[in-house]
């Protein structure tokens, strides 16, 4: 896609998007009204819960050169040998926006044309953190109706090969095949099979080759007033289909529409549950860490069927 076509798409989407909320710049989450949250509770019928996150990894790999660090800080061997009371303690650190661990992108994550979402100056992001649009806007969590569209299931394959892209036609065809429709305020989850391929064939350099949405598929998000987008990959294809812009879906979703993204989720436990139940919608609870000034957070979304 030539840059001029991407720019035209960007302007078209930004002009159609809901403006920043007068109650705080919550972006597309304004579509997730209290009434829609309450209605989402009706999705719970089986009383089953399932995580949509992958286990956090601490070993380096081709897609994770800077893995999370987990260190035990206590108790000491001496403590373990005594009869007194002691506590096991540890410390955890991670690169939030890596290519392996499940995470949520805040609206301050993408800088484009010197601005953040809603025209917020990029200068509000400093060494001390993000002064606006950070992940702590989500301190009360995100609760709503989740919908999973399984694109490999649609195409009759276990996964999509890296470098391919999901189109708007794929999304609407998956709706029809699965008997579900994405509605205003929904949390949309798009499975491309990244996690299953990684499990079966081993990790690879997903920064160089991965499946994602085609930029034009982002029009689906604004047409349906989707509040959150989550995928089992990065949501962006690699190599990028847009000249000189490596992450066009991130730019369009976060920067133009104000849609929070969740990257590198895991749907392999959810898919069989949905298939057996014969439905692909569910209550979903997302609780990012309350990290003041952070551009994202590790995340463990929970589907409740």
């Amino acid at each position: 896609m030539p840059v001029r076509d991407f720019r035209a798409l960007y302007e078209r989407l930004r002009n159609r998007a809901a403006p920043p909320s007068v109650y705080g710049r919550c972006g597309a989450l304004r579509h997730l009204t209290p009434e829609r949250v309450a209605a989402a509770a009706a999705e719970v019928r089986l009383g089953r819960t399932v995580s949509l996150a992958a286990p956090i990894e601490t070993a380096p790999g081709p897609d994770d050169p800077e893995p999370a660090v987990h260190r035990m800080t206590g108790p000491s061997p001496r403590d373990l040998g005594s009869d007194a009371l002691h506590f096991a303690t540890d410390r955890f650190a991670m690169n939030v926006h890596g290519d392996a661990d499940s995470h949520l992108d805040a609206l301050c994550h993408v800088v484009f044309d010197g601005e953040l979402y809603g025209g917020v100056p990029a200068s509000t992001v400093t060494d001390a953190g993000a002064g606006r649009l950070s992940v702590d806007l989500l301190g009360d969590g995100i609760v709503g109706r989740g919908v999973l569209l399984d694109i490999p299931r649609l195409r009759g394959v276990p996964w999509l090969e890296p470098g391919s892209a999901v189109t708007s036609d794929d999304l609407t065809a998956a709706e029809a095949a699965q008997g579900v429709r994405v509605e205003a305020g929904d949390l949309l989850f798009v499975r491309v099979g990244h996690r299953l391929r990684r499990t079966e064939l081993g990790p690879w350099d997903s920064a160089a080759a991965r499946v994602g949405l085609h930029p034009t598929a982002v029009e689906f998000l604004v047409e349906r007033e989707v509040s959150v987008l989550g995928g089992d990959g990065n949501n962006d294809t690699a190599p990028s289909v847009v000249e000189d812009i490596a992450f066009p879906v991130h730019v369009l979703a976060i920067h133009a529409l104000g849609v929070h993204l969740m990257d590198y989720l895991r749907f392999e436990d959810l898919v069989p549950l949905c298939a057996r139940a014969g439905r692909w919608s569910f209550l979903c609870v997302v609780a990012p860490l309350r990290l003041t000034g952070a551009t994202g957070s590790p995340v463990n979304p929970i589907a409740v069927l």
Side-chain angles (χ1 to χ4, degrees):
M1 174 185 285
V3 173
R4 66 178 180 276
D5 292 347
F6 173 80
R7 288 279 183 177
L9 175 62
Y10 171 85
E11 293 297 335
R12 186 165 66 250
L13 292 178
R14 188 169 68 167
N15 291 337
R16 293 177 61 188
S21 170
V22 296
Y23 303 108
R25 295 181 181 273
C26 59
L29 287 178
R30 61 187 280 130
H31 300 311
L32 188 51
T33 63
E35 294 77 16
R36 287 168 178 158
V37 173
E43 296 287 334
V44 181
R45 303 172 196 171
L46 303 179
R48 293 287 304 275
T49 63
V50 58
S51 169
L52 307 186
I56 293 174
E57 300 187 17
T58 56
D63 59 348
D64 197 14
E66 298 179 309
V69 178
H70 180 213
R71 299 257 190 263
M72 296 303 296
T73 58
S76 69
R78 180 178 177 179
D79 293 338
L80 289 172
S82 73
D83 294 331
L85 172 65
H86 300 286
F87 294 96
T89 57
D90 49 6
R91 180 177 292 116
F92 172 78
M94 72 179 296
N95 171 15
V96 172
H97 300 289
D99 289 319
D101 295 319
S102 305
H103 63 271
L104 179 143
D105 293 338
L107 297 185
C108 60
H109 178 47
V110 175
V111 180
F112 187 63
D113 288 343
E115 294 180 343
L116 308 179
Y117 164 71
V120 173
S123 59
T124 56
V125 180
T126 69
D127 290 344
R132 304 272 292 278
L133 305 177
S134 67
V135 77
D136 53 359
L137 286 178
L138 306 178
D140 292 326
I142 304 171
V143 180
R145 177 180 181 256
V147 174
L148 175 65
L149 298 183
D150 191 339
I151 308 306
R153 182 186 184 91
L154 173 70
R155 298 189 186 179
V157 296
W159 55 72
L160 306 188
E161 287 298 333
S164 57
V166 175
T167 67
S168 289
D169 287 345
D170 288 324
L171 298 178
T172 54
E175 284 183 312
Q178 296 173 211
V180 69
R181 180 176 173 83
V182 177
E183 300 173 350
D186 282 351
L187 286 65
L188 172 60
F189 298 98
V190 180
R191 179 178 178 269
V192 298
H194 178 101
R195 285 289 178 186
L196 180 60
R197 187 182 194 278
R198 189 178 189 271
T199 299
E200 295 291 327
L201 303 183
W204 70 96
D205 182 6
S206 56
R210 62 175 178 267
V211 186
L213 269 61
H214 192 277
T216 55
V218 179
E219 293 188 274
F220 183 93
L221 306 184
V222 71
E223 288 168 359
R224 302 298 182 86
E225 297 186 340
V226 166
S227 61
V228 176
L229 172 65
D232 53 346
N234 175 267
N235 289 301
D236 262 298
T237 60
S240 174
V241 300
V242 179
E243 299 172 359
D244 301 323
I245 297 179
F247 298 91
V249 170
H250 277 65
V251 173
L252 296 174
I254 295 176
H255 198 278
L257 300 181
V259 173
H260 288 83
L261 297 188
M262 287 185 282
D263 298 333
Y264 295 108
L265 301 178
R266 183 179 182 275
F267 302 131
E268 269 50 60
D269 294 331
L270 177 62
V271 167
L273 257 177
C274 288
R276 284 197 298 271
R279 60 190 181 93
W280 299 86
S281 61
F282 43 86
L283 177 68
C284 189
V285 180
V286 183
L289 299 178
R290 302 192 71 172
L291 297 167
T292 301
T295 64
S297 169
V299 71
N300 180 20
I302 303 296
V304 190
L305 282 80

